[in-house]
């Protein structure tokens, strides 16, 4: 279906970009993107993906909004306190852009439900807040052959990587196992500044839009390290490890499983 006049007007500031155009906007509209975790990273990612006109946005989160979330999780507001995050996020997305279909997954992502939840999505944003969840999102996306954008944040710092299965390394290629529970401080212990989450979550949305459009250079094989105190970005080149338990050669792969691990990167 071609774009309506209202859509052409609504998205005109991005359609005018030669890398987007009408055909690119149709690709964005056809896009189905799952955001796992409607928190500090998921909030800006969801809002920018919805604003850009991604046709279907999925939200996976089992939590409810509490007052300590509002300092950075900008998709939720004070009247949402106590509500399920998927409901609060879905309302915010519909309010921003009624043209976006929202699919709510009000559960914690697990090794057993991940394959079903991921089915049909073109890309995933990792907005989770524990190492166990991050490894699960990685392994589930690799197993399902779905590209995803990783981010982890703590304090003033953040990391970003795009994983396209078959085209580059995955998160587990270099962070082989989650750190032991308690060995890495959580956000509740170490703190997090809201705009750091905002910056990294926005960059995740940017990577997803580039993926849907097929333009630019994705962060495949390049881990970006963001330091908000010095306002600097560094980049570390990475290669796929053929012995990786998630994306390595078949004899090294392990079946999808949940892991017990502590820590928080949101
Ligand atoms: Zn790997």
């Amino acid at each position: 279906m071609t774009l309506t006049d209202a859509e052409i007007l609504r998205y005109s500031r991005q359609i005018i970009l030669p890398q987007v155009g009408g055909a690119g906007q149709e690709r964005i509209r056809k896009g189905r993107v799952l955001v796992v975790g409607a928190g500090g990273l998921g909030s800006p990612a969801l809002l920018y993906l919805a604003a850009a006109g991604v046709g279907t946005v999925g939200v996976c989160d089992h939590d409810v909004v509490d007052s300590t979330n509002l300092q950075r999780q900008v998709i939720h507001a004070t009247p949402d306190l106590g509500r399920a995050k998927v409901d609060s996020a879905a309302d915010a997305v519909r309010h921003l852009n009624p043209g976006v279909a929202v699919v709510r997954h009000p559960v914690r992502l697990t090794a057993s439900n991940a394959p079903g939840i991921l089915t049909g999505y073109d890309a995933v944003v990792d907005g989770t807040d524990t190492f166990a969840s991050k490894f699960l999102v990685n392994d589930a996306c690799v197993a399902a052959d779905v590209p995803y954008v990783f981010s982890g944040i703590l304090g003033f710092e953040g990391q970003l990587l795009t994983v396209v299965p078959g085209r580059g390394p995955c998160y587990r290629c270099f962070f082989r196992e989650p750190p032991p529970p308690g060995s890495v401080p959580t956000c509740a212990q170490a703190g997090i500044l809201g705009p750091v989450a905002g910056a990294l979550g926005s960059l995740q949305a940017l990577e997803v839009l580039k993926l849907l459009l097929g333009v630019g250079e994705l962060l495949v094989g390049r881990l970006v390290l963001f330091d908000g105190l010095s306002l600097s970005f560094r980049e570390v080149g990475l290669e796929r490890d053929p012995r990786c338990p998630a994306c390595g050669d078949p004899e090294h792969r392990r079946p999808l499983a949940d892991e017990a691990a502590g820590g928080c990167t949101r």
Side-chain angles (χ1 to χ4, degrees):
M1 196 178 84
T2 52
L3 299 170
T4 64
D5 288 347
E7 285 174 317
I8 291 169
L9 181 62
R10 181 177 189 116
Y11 304 113
S12 55
R13 296 300 188 275
Q14 64 195 44
I15 288 176
I16 201 171
L17 296 167
Q19 294 87 346
V20 181
Q25 189 61 45
E26 289 179 27
R27 273 200 291 274
I28 292 172
R29 190 179 60 184
K30 262 180 61 188
R32 299 175 55 90
V33 180
L34 174 68
V35 177
V36 184
L41 293 166
S43 289
L46 281 162
L47 291 171
Y48 276 119
L49 293 171
V54 171
T56 303
V57 170
V59 193
C60 181
D61 201 305
H62 67 285
D63 215 351
V64 298
V65 180
D66 79 51
S67 71
T68 67
N69 299 149
L70 300 180
Q71 159 262 12
R72 65 196 179 284
Q73 301 182 14
V74 294
I75 204 166
H76 313 296
T78 306
D80 298 314
L81 287 173
R83 298 184 70 203
K85 285 188 179 177
V86 286
D87 294 337
S88 170
D91 285 354
V93 165
R94 287 193 204 102
H95 188 63
L96 172 62
N97 191 347
V100 175
V102 188
V103 181
R104 295 173 306 128
H105 305 277
V107 293
R108 181 194 293 273
L109 196 74
T110 65
S112 51
N113 68 19
I117 289 175
L118 256 55
T119 300
Y121 285 106
D122 302 312
V124 171
V125 170
D126 171 19
T128 65
D129 62 350
T130 67
F131 285 104
S133 305
K134 296 205 169 292
F135 279 90
L136 176 64
V137 169
N138 178 79
D139 296 353
C141 287
V142 169
D145 201 18
V146 177
Y148 90 98
V149 186
F150 155 83
S151 181
I153 50 176
L154 195 66
F156 289 86
E157 296 179 358
Q159 301 177 344
L160 196 72
L161 175 77
T162 298
V163 174
V164 180
R167 264 184 57 191
C170 80
Y171 181 69
R172 204 184 272 281
C173 283
F174 36 97
F175 300 113
R176 184 51 59 86
E177 303 292 339
S183 65
V184 176
T186 66
C187 275
Q189 293 162 341
I192 172 72
L193 203 62
V196 173
L200 275 291
S202 301
L203 291 175
Q204 287 180 291
L206 174 60
E207 283 290 282
V208 166
L209 292 174
K210 284 162 57 185
L211 236 163
L212 295 177
L213 290 165
V215 302
E217 284 175 47
L218 295 168
L219 272 180
V220 172
R222 298 186 291 140
L223 178 71
V224 161
L225 307 172
F226 170 77
D227 180 351
L229 278 179
S230 60
L231 215 313
S232 59
F233 291 88
R234 276 198 309 132
E235 198 178 293
V236 180
L238 307 156
E239 287 186 4
R240 176 177 163 268
D241 179 356
R243 303 172 68 90
C244 171
C247 77
D249 297 339
E251 65 269 28
H252 296 290
R253 293 199 190 188
R254 290 197 310 234
L256 193 58
D258 293 308
E259 306 206 36
C264 169
T265 45
R266 171 161 90 196

